[in-house]
Amino acid sequence: MTAVCPGSFDPITLGHLDIIERSTYIYDRVVVGIADNPSKAELFSLEERLDFTKEALKNLAKVEVLVFRSLLVEFAQEHGAKVIIKGLRAISDFEHEFQMAHLNKRLDNTIETVFLMASPECMFLSSSAVKEIAAYGGNISEFVPSGVEARLADKFLKD
Ligand code: ADP
């Protein structure tokens, strides 16, 4: 069975990695979809996000990393996925994810959204928090894969 795991991955964190790795224990194939959403102001370009996300996931044989520009349910349909995997942190994610899951179900009721609870050590981790810490020169080595740490340092040194 194939699952899709969508996100902006701006940048990928150990929280994302945890959810994706745990998905591979449940599903045969996990398609990680990087959203190319022109209305979102991302720190990293699509190419950069694709590059470090692939690098971070290269040891997970069941994982493919692709870009999507369509509706999420269309991306899932295209790849034969009947499951959308989402990570759920503390209470903050619930309302938004609850709405998205129901809207996606209305768009295609054969596709289910499955939530994996964030691991306790990732519960308070987000891409935006990591960017904020990195912008002030803080240590983010415990929060992101090593490739991303170097890229964030580069980004903020240049700016
Ligand atoms: P963010 O929400 O950090 O901006 P994304 O848009 O890339 O990141 O999120 C994609 C998915 O990853 C969402 O389902 C989100 O709940 C999940 N996710 C993000 N960070 C974590 C984390 N620390 N633990 C578990 N799931 C997470």
Side-chain angles (χ1 to χ4, degrees), residues 6-9 15-16 19 86-89 93 97 118 122 125-127:
S8 27
F9 303 104
H16 293 119
I19 296 294
K86 290 293 190 85
L88 208 55
R89 288 162 290 196
D93 282 337
E97 294 294 351
C122 300
L125 197 52
S126 67
S127 299

Side-chain angles (χ1 to χ4, degrees), residues 1-6 27 76 80-85 110-114:
M1 197 177 209
T2 300
V4 294
C5 196
Y27 299 100
K82 289 289 176 199
V83 173
I84 295 168
I85 296 273
T110 68
I111 297 178
E112 289 292 341
T113 302
V114 170

Side-chain angles (χ1 to χ4, degrees), residues 69-150:
R69 299 182 174 85
S70 59
L71 281 174
L72 177 56
V73 290
E74 286 172 6
F75 178 65
Q77 288 159 356
E78 240 171 73
H79 296 282
K82 289 289 176 199
V83 173
I84 295 168
I85 296 273
K86 290 293 190 85
L88 208 55
R89 288 162 290 196
I91 6 182
S92 54
D93 282 337
F94 182 78
E95 196 164 344
H96 178 67
E97 294 294 351
F98 180 74
Q99 182 186 17
M100 293 302 296
H102 284 292
L103 285 174
N104 283 330
K105 189 82 183 174
R106 287 287 287 272
L107 295 173
D108 183 336
N109 71 4
T110 68
I111 297 178
E112 289 292 341
T113 302
V114 170
F115 293 98
L116 298 185
M117 284 294 169
S119 295
E121 65 277 16
C122 300
M123 196 59 103
F124 300 100
L125 197 52
S126 67
S127 299
S128 49
V130 161
K131 284 182 279 194
E132 197 164 341
I133 297 168
Y136 289 106
N139 180 3
I140 49 156
S141 59
E142 284 177 36
F143 307 138
V144 294
S146 54
V148 169
E149 190 186 353

Side-chain angles (χ1 to χ4, degrees), residues 10-58:
D10 185 43
I12 186 166
T13 68
L14 297 188
H16 293 119
L17 214 62
D18 175 60
I19 296 294
I20 296 164
E21 183 172 355
R22 285 162 56 205
S23 306
T24 68
Y25 304 148
I26 310 172
Y27 299 100
D28 307 307
R29 181 170 159 248
V30 177
V31 179
V32 171
I34 304 184
D36 181 17
N37 183 348
S39 63
K40 267 198 172 180
E42 313 283 10
L43 175 67
F44 290 99
S45 70
L46 185 62
E47 290 67 30
E48 288 174 305
R49 287 182 284 141
L50 186 60
D51 203 44
F52 57 58
T53 303
K54 276 189 173 168
E55 166 69 24
L57 298 169
K58 67 172 190 259

